[in-house]
Each structure stands twice: as C-alpha cells, then as structure tokens.
Amino acid sequence: MARTDPSDDEATLEPQDWSQGRRRKALIFLVACLGVGAAPHWLGPLRGVVPAIGCALVLGGYSLRTLLASRSSLADLAGSESLDGAAPLPSVDVLVAARDEEAVIERLVQSVSAIDYPDDRVTLWVVDDGSQDRTGRLLDELTQRYPRLQVRHRTRDAGGGKSGALNALLPHLQGDWMMVLDADASVPPDLLKRLNPWLAGSDWDGLQLRKAVVHPEASLLTRAQALEMAFDAEIQQGRIAQAGVGELRGNGQLLRRAAVRACGGFNEDTVTDDLDLSIRFLLAGHPVLVLWDPPVLEEPVTRWSALLRQRQRWAEGGLQRYFDYWPALMFTAPLSRRQRLDVALFFLIQYVLPVASVGDLLGAVGWRQSPLLWPLSLSTLTLSALALIRAGRRSSEGPELPQPSLPTVLLVNLYLLHWFLVIPWVSLRMATRPKRLVWAKTVHAGDRKSTRLNSS
C-alpha cells in the first residue's frame, strides 16, 4: 500500500500486505470454477441442467431487479448546499498521471483550466512519470501559460505505476477533494459547479462520472465501447439504487481526500488502482455514487489488439481485488447483508460464470453431452441486451449514444462475449505465471476535434 506522510494529522490506516499468495488463490479459483462448470455432467443431460436453471433464476432475478431499480431517488442523494451559501466552495485538486502523452496533454490542461471555478479553489497536478517523448517539456512550458497547473517529474523506474505517480502527489495536496483524470480526458466548464451539491453537502466520499467515448460513430468497435460504458453506468446506478455497491472507474473519479488518506492512499501492488480503491472504500465505509451526467470524455480504443490488452489488465485487476480482500468482504467488514449479497452475486456473474463456462465445455466433451450452462448464459445475455437498450435510450450529454436498434444490440452483445475469453485466459495466466507489475497504458491519438463536450 501507499506510504502516508507522517506529518499529516489525519487518521490513517496502517498499510497491510493483502497481495500475498495471488498465484495460489488464482489456481484455487480456476480449478474450482472449472469443476463447478464440469460437475453437473456427472448427473446426466437432464438432471445436470437443473443447477443451471436454479442459478439462472437467482442470478437473473437479482440482475433484473438491479436493472429495473428506480434511479429517480439518486437525484435526491445530493446535499443541500448551494453556490450562494455562506460556506466556501469545496477545494479540488485535479490529479493526472502522464506517461508519454504528448498527443493529448495540452488539450487536457486546456480543458481543466477552462473549468468555471475560483482559481484559489482548484489546482491541476500532473505527474510526468518518466515520459520518453515531449510530455515533460510540454508540461514545463504550459506552467507559464496556465496558473492552475503544477507539474512534478518522476523517473521512469520510480515504481508503483499509476498508483505510485498519484501517491507522489498526496503530500502536496490541500484540497477537500481529489479528481483523478486520465491524460485524454475532457470535462465541461461547469463541471465542478454542477457537482457542488455532492461535494459540499452530501455523505458520499466518492463520485464516479459516466465515461463516454468521443466519436462513437467511427466504427463498430467504438460504437460497442460507447454502449458498453453506458451499460456499465446503468447497472451501477441500479446497484446503488437498491442499496448495493458503486465502483470507481479511474477516469472521472472524485474522491474525498481524507477518505483516500484514511485508506492508505493508492495501492502500488495492483494493476487497476480504481478497482482496488473501490473495495477499500467499501471496507472502510466510504460510499461511492455513480453519476450519469455530466460525463467525462475519453478516447476509445480503436484496435482489437489494444482492446484485448486493456481488458486483460482490467480482468486481472478485478480478480486481484477479490483475491486480496475476500475474507474481509464476506466475513469481517461492517457491510450490510445487501452489500455482501450484491458483491457476491456480481462476482459470480462477472468472473465465475466465464470460467465455469469453459469447464462446462470441457465436461461436454468429456462426457459426450451438450453444454449444460446454457440457461444461465442465455439469461445473462438476455439481461445484458435489456441493459444495453435501456442505457442507449437514456437522455445523455456528450457524444450521442448509438441508437440501440436490434442489429446494434445483437452486435454489441456479441462483442461483450469477449469477456468469456478474457476472464478464463487471465485466470489461467495468473495461476501459472508470476506477475510483473508494469504500467500498461493505452496509447492516445489526440484528435482535438473529438473532445468537444456539449454541456448544455
């Protein structure tokens, strides 16, 4: 975990080494899930399908309830502070870890500098994390033009990846909130004023903006990502609306600084700092709210090879957090029964089902039977199609979402099946190969025309 500044008088948790034995845990997870998928074949083709039907009813029923949960109550979760109140506006530090981002870094600085907020209440901190291109020089030049910008430089071998870069900034921060952005992000000028009710007068310690991709119409891959991100925000808001769990997504996350420091900062022993921090916020009782509007814009991945690399990192980070924290999640943390149920069921849907499906196929070959998990897979695909339709039809700011026509929904649902390949492969790799933590960043192209955000 991160090292905290000993001069800070805020209460902090002692860092704990949660990451021991990940290979062993991954192997247990892999064998157990394959066994769960193959075991019903012992019962025969008729009785063997009964467990899958039961799981489809339980998991599908909970997912449907999540999807249909009313989000109208989310609008009432903000505080009552107004911009005209006597209390000062919350101060915000915007944090960016940048490595080889010369194509987009100036656009990011311009976007944050254009935020309509008092200059003494917002500061942009950018870490040049050992860039080998012109990122560092550009940032130093930009400090002369943009008073809000503060730049720090790290060597490329400083360690800790993005988490290490963000932790390097923590001793310098004084703001009430931290907003973490990726280098390709773009936000509307009125962002902080619109978020003020949550920042100034609510009990939420984390806010996650919906992520929206620029130029979603460019290709099938970009359209699929646009709907996938909307789908994710739709599901997350449903989980929160029924007292479940909200999660951070890295780009566009706002964090109460005291909560981050109380959790020990950003974990430098993970490949996905946002997913890890989501769990530690949950364990420490720091709630996270997901907002539909305003969104944060980012560039989509434009090549399948890059997308698969990105999704492997996400899958590995997602599994790491459960391997690291599962005893606390299930037994010792002061979570509500609804939160434990929510975490357990979505873990089954997101991670167990894809690996169990491989076990089902292996069992079908070994016993010379048809696959038996089809009721569960069918219910999952049906519900994902419904979620895509609901998300695509919602009124939204930013680039227009692709219309969820039947062909589009079918193609995007087919695209989402890549998780059924990525999760088993990553599970196998984690169980058999030692992990070397590196910063595996997505390359950003920097199309200036693609990042205009309609804030009306």
Side-chain angles (χ1 to χ4, degrees):
M1 296 293 181
R3 295 181 299 274
T4 55
D5 184 5
S7 66
D8 199 313
D9 58 0
E10 295 170 353
T12 59
L13 296 181
E14 287 297 323
Q16 302 184 52
D17 191 358
W18 298 92
S19 61
Q20 293 299 310
R22 282 177 179 164
R23 285 181 67 186
R24 182 182 69 254
K25 295 170 187 175
L27 180 60
I28 294 172
F29 169 79
L30 179 65
V31 172
C33 292
L34 293 175
V36 166
H41 289 274
W42 290 342
L43 302 175
L46 294 180
R47 288 185 299 171
V49 78
V50 173
I53 294 175
C55 289
L57 292 175
V58 173
L59 298 180
Y62 187 83
S63 299
L64 181 62
R65 180 176 176 178
T66 298
L67 181 60
L68 300 179
S70 174
R71 290 170 300 276
S72 60
S73 59
L74 297 180
D76 301 325
L77 297 177
S80 57
E81 293 287 337
S82 69
L83 294 177
D84 298 325
L89 295 175
S91 54
V92 180
D93 289 305
V94 182
L95 278 59
V96 180
R99 171 174 287 190
D100 301 331
E101 299 286 8
E102 65 178 7
V104 295
I105 197 63
E106 182 173 359
R107 185 186 64 205
L108 168 83
V109 173
Q110 291 172 347
S111 178
V112 175
S113 297
I115 292 177
D116 184 13
Y117 210 66
D119 284 336
D120 63 342
R121 308 304 291 170
V122 60
T123 304
L124 170 59
W125 298 86
V126 182
V127 178
D128 165 35
D129 201 43
S131 298
Q132 295 178 333
D133 63 3
R134 297 175 57 248
T135 300
R137 294 194 299 274
L138 285 173
L139 285 170
D140 290 337
E141 294 171 3
L142 291 170
T143 58
Q144 306 302 314
R145 296 160 47 195
Y146 297 98
R148 288 180 176 176
L149 176 60
Q150 297 289 325
V151 176
R152 296 293 183 272
H153 298 274
R154 292 208 316 161
T155 60
R156 199 169 184 88
D157 59 353
K162 179 180 177 182
S163 293
L166 295 177
N167 282 333
L169 293 174
L170 290 183
H172 305 287
L173 307 183
Q174 298 296 325
D176 302 307
W177 287 81
M178 302 157 47
M179 179 165 67
V180 181
L181 296 177
D182 287 347
D184 64 324
S186 180
V187 295
D190 61 352
L191 174 69
L192 293 182
K193 287 189 174 180
R194 293 174 62 184
L195 295 181
N196 185 69
W198 286 276
L199 301 179
S202 75
D203 294 328
W204 298 96
D205 290 325
L207 301 175
Q208 175 61 56
L209 307 180
R210 173 177 60 90
K211 299 202 298 183
V213 304
V214 298
H215 285 329
E217 74 286 350
S219 68
L220 173 60
L221 187 57
T222 57
R223 291 196 297 274
Q225 289 173 78
L227 276 178
E228 181 185 24
M229 291 181 180
F231 162 94
D232 177 68
E234 177 81 8
I235 294 296
Q236 286 222 73
Q237 287 200 322
R239 295 174 69 180
I240 296 168
Q242 58 172 353
V245 175
E247 297 181 346
L248 301 168
R249 291 293 182 257
N251 191 23
Q253 64 186 23
L254 290 99
L255 313 166
R256 202 180 296 272
R257 184 172 67 95
V260 174
R261 297 197 69 97
C263 288
F266 296 92
N267 187 354
E268 297 183 18
D269 196 27
T270 181
V271 296
T272 50
D273 58 283
D274 51 338
L275 298 180
D276 181 272
L277 188 60
S278 296
I279 293 294
R280 288 190 288 127
F281 261 41
L282 175 63
L283 296 177
H286 300 303
V288 173
L289 178 64
V290 177
L291 300 176
W292 183 263
D293 283 326
V296 57
L297 268 62
E298 65 181 27
E299 293 184 0
V301 178
T302 57
R303 294 181 301 167
W304 280 99
S305 58
L307 180 87
L308 291 176
R309 286 196 300 271
Q310 179 193 68
R311 299 315 164 88
Q312 288 180 58
R313 179 172 59 84
W314 290 1
E316 183 167 359
L319 283 169
Q320 280 180 354
R321 58 179 171 159
Y322 288 110
F323 294 161
D324 291 352
Y325 304 112
W326 71 268
L329 285 170
M330 291 296 101
F331 304 114
T332 62
L335 307 182
S336 68
R337 284 184 293 179
R338 177 58 63 84
Q339 287 176 321
R340 290 192 205 278
L341 178 66
D342 184 80
V343 169
L345 293 185
F346 274 92
F347 173 72
L348 292 173
I349 295 170
Q350 290 178 299
Y351 298 100
V352 173
L353 177 57
V355 184
S357 297
V358 175
D360 180 35
L361 292 176
L362 294 176
V365 172
W367 273 271
R368 297 184 179 180
Q369 298 173 0
S370 300
L372 298 177
L373 289 186
W374 62 265
L376 184 55
S377 300
L378 180 62
S379 67
T380 301
L381 291 173
T382 300
L383 287 167
S384 68
L386 292 175
L388 290 169
I389 293 172
R390 282 175 60 90
R393 289 179 175 175
R394 286 185 70 173
S395 173
S396 59
E397 298 176 15
E400 185 176 353
L401 289 172
Q403 288 300 308
S405 62
L406 180 59
T408 297
V409 170
L410 291 176
L411 286 172
V412 175
N413 233 3
L414 182 63
Y415 153 86
L416 290 175
L417 288 177
H418 74 266
W419 288 112
F420 278 73
L421 301 175
V422 170
I423 299 292
W425 164 247
V426 169
S427 301
L428 176 63
R429 190 180 65 186
M430 292 178 68
T432 57
R433 295 170 55 185
K435 176 61 184 174
R436 177 172 171 263
L437 289 172
V438 296
W439 187 343
K441 64 182 293 294
T442 301
V443 177
H444 299 135
D447 179 3
R448 289 182 175 274
K449 295 184 296 182
S450 68
T451 56
R452 296 175 183 171
L453 178 56
N454 179 12
S455 60
S456 60

